[in-house]
């Protein structure tokens, strides 16, 4: 479980790094970004995970997210993984991609699932990568990372990942938030395409990757914050925030779900509210 440092930069009284390692989960090299605020020797800092959306890598939030000042202020490590495996794999073979070159499936669109259908099952194991492998890597290589205090957030497809990984986490995360999440992938075109492709036609197999379904099954998170732009072009057809509102009300899930007038799906929206999300998580990550 060795890692290679690709870059480090000083920023806001901390270190922004990008790292690479050979992933056992995906069978490929994987890159991820970590921001570590300056801290006293031996101090342990809580972790905020950020899961990115379709077509993105760790670089999108790292370059546009405007989170570092808030993380430095609150003493939070910020971890941003990639969104899918990328080739070549350990045998030198290319990782499969959508045969039609579509942007919403395949490379950059792993949907944070463990695929079970071919040819995706060998490499598209982003659930195992995020839930198991990368936390173990952090524990080994980042001495200040406190895995007893974790929170998770994400955008769009990454919001779907944050919600579902958070709900399945069984107490691992003290708080969960999301920006413009795909809340019910089994009921929207992006999700139906991805879940059919990665998991097959049996919709029962999709339920573990649908936040609204997980809430209906009785899973909960300690606290939930969601921001959704009202001017988001994907809101009506793909995101369907109202379904999450209804599911939280049915479940009695503690949640603040905010519609933000005039904001779209872009990082102009995310960067406006990400520091606020960091502060919200910080309150819940206190020792």
């Amino acid at each position: 479980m060795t890692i290679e440092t690709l870059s480090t930069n000083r920023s806001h009284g901390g270190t922004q790094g990008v790292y690479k390692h050979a992933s056992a989960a995906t069978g490929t090299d994987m890159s991820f970004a970590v921001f570590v605020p300056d801290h006293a020797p031996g101090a342990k800092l809580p972790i905020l995970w950020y899961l990115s959306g379709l077509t993105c890598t760790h670089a999108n939030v790292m370059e546009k997210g405007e989170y570092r000042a808030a993380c430095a202020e609150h003493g939070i490590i910020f971890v941003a993984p990639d969104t899918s495996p990328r080739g070549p794999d350990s045998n030198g073979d290319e990782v499969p991609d959508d045969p039609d070159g579509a942007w919403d499936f395949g490379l950059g669109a792993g949907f944070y699932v463990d695929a079970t259908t071919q040819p995706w099952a060998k490499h598209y194991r982003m659930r195992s990568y995020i839930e198991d492998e990368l936390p173990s890597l952090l524990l080994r290589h980042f001495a200040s990372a406190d895995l007893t205090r974790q929170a998770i957030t994400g955008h769009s497809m990454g919001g779907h990942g944050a919600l579902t990984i958070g709900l399945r986490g069984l107490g691992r995360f003290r708080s969960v938030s999301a920006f413009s999440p795909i809340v019910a992938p089994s009921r929207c075109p992006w999700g139906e395409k991805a879940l059919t492709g990665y998991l097959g036609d049996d919709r029962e197999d999709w339920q573990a990757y649908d936040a609204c379904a997980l809430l209906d099954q009785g899973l909960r998170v300690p606290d939930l914050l969601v921001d959704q732009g009202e001017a988001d072009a994907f809101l009506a057809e793909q995101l369907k925030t109202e379904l999450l509102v209804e599911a939280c009300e049915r479940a009695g899930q503690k949640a603040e779900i905010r519609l933000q007038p005039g904001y779209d799906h872009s990082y102009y929206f995310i960067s406006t509210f990400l520091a606020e999300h960091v502060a919200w998580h910080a309150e819940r990550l206190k020792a």
Side-chain angles (χ1 to χ4, degrees):
M1 295 180 69
T2 61
I3 64 173
E4 176 186 352
T5 300
L6 299 181
S7 65
T8 58
N9 295 93
R10 290 289 294 163
S11 181
H12 290 284
T15 301
Q16 176 66 67
V18 179
Y19 308 91
K20 181 172 75 172
H21 71 109
S23 168
T26 68
T28 68
D29 285 347
M30 296 291 291
S31 297
F32 62 98
V34 182
F35 176 74
V36 181
D38 290 348
H39 54 278
K44 293 290 188 178
L45 306 181
I47 300 165
L48 176 59
W49 296 83
Y50 180 93
L51 304 185
S52 295
L54 289 164
T55 75
C56 293
T57 70
H58 63 275
N60 295 77
V61 69
M62 190 177 75
E63 295 169 0
K64 304 175 184 177
E66 301 180 24
Y67 57 86
R68 279 175 286 268
C71 287
E73 177 185 352
H74 297 287
I76 292 176
I77 294 173
F78 190 95
V79 182
D82 203 346
T83 51
S84 80
R86 300 180 194 270
D89 66 12
S90 55
N91 296 320
D93 298 323
E94 289 300 321
V95 172
D97 193 8
D98 186 280
D100 299 320
W103 57 271
D104 57 355
F105 188 77
L107 296 181
F111 262 82
Y112 304 100
V113 307
D114 278 355
T116 56
T117 63
Q118 299 302 329
W120 316 102
K122 181 179 180 180
H123 299 299
Y124 282 76
R125 299 183 53 77
M126 291 302 294
R127 173 180 179 177
S128 291
Y129 179 69
I130 300 296
E131 290 184 347
D132 301 320
E133 185 173 18
L134 196 50
S136 296
L137 199 73
L138 287 176
L139 189 63
R140 182 168 183 149
H141 292 281
F142 294 85
S144 59
D146 183 359
L147 268 70
T148 69
R149 292 185 290 155
Q150 297 186 71
I152 191 167
T153 188
H155 170 231
S156 193
M157 178 186 72
H160 141 76
L163 292 174
T164 56
I165 290 171
L167 285 162
R168 292 191 310 259
L170 300 177
R172 172 182 165 189
F173 300 100
R174 296 195 183 185
S175 50
V176 176
S177 74
F179 297 89
S180 313
I182 304 169
V183 305
S186 62
R187 288 184 275 178
C188 75
W190 281 343
E192 289 177 340
K193 177 179 180 178
L195 298 179
T196 300
Y198 294 133
L199 304 176
D201 294 326
D202 189 345
R203 287 179 171 256
E204 285 299 313
D205 295 336
W206 301 6
Q207 300 305 294
Y209 301 105
D210 186 303
C212 291
L214 292 173
L215 285 164
D216 286 339
Q217 291 170 20
L219 298 183
R220 304 288 183 269
V221 296
D223 210 349
L224 175 62
L225 172 65
V226 173
D227 274 313
Q228 171 62 58
E230 286 189 338
D232 192 322
F234 303 115
L235 176 56
E237 183 180 22
Q238 304 284 7
L239 307 178
K240 301 187 176 184
T241 307
E242 74 280 358
L243 297 180
L244 181 63
V245 173
E246 295 165 2
C248 288
E249 290 176 348
R250 288 195 302 272
Q253 168 65 56
K254 183 181 180 182
E256 184 177 5
I257 301 174
R258 311 186 299 194
L259 294 177
Q260 301 291 358
Y263 286 93
D264 59 15
H265 200 71
S266 72
Y267 269 88
Y268 292 109
F269 165 55
I270 297 164
S271 65
T272 301
F273 296 99
L274 186 49
E276 186 177 337
H277 280 232
V278 171
W280 181 86
H281 286 291
E283 283 295 312
R284 289 148 183 83
L285 289 167
K286 288 179 179 177

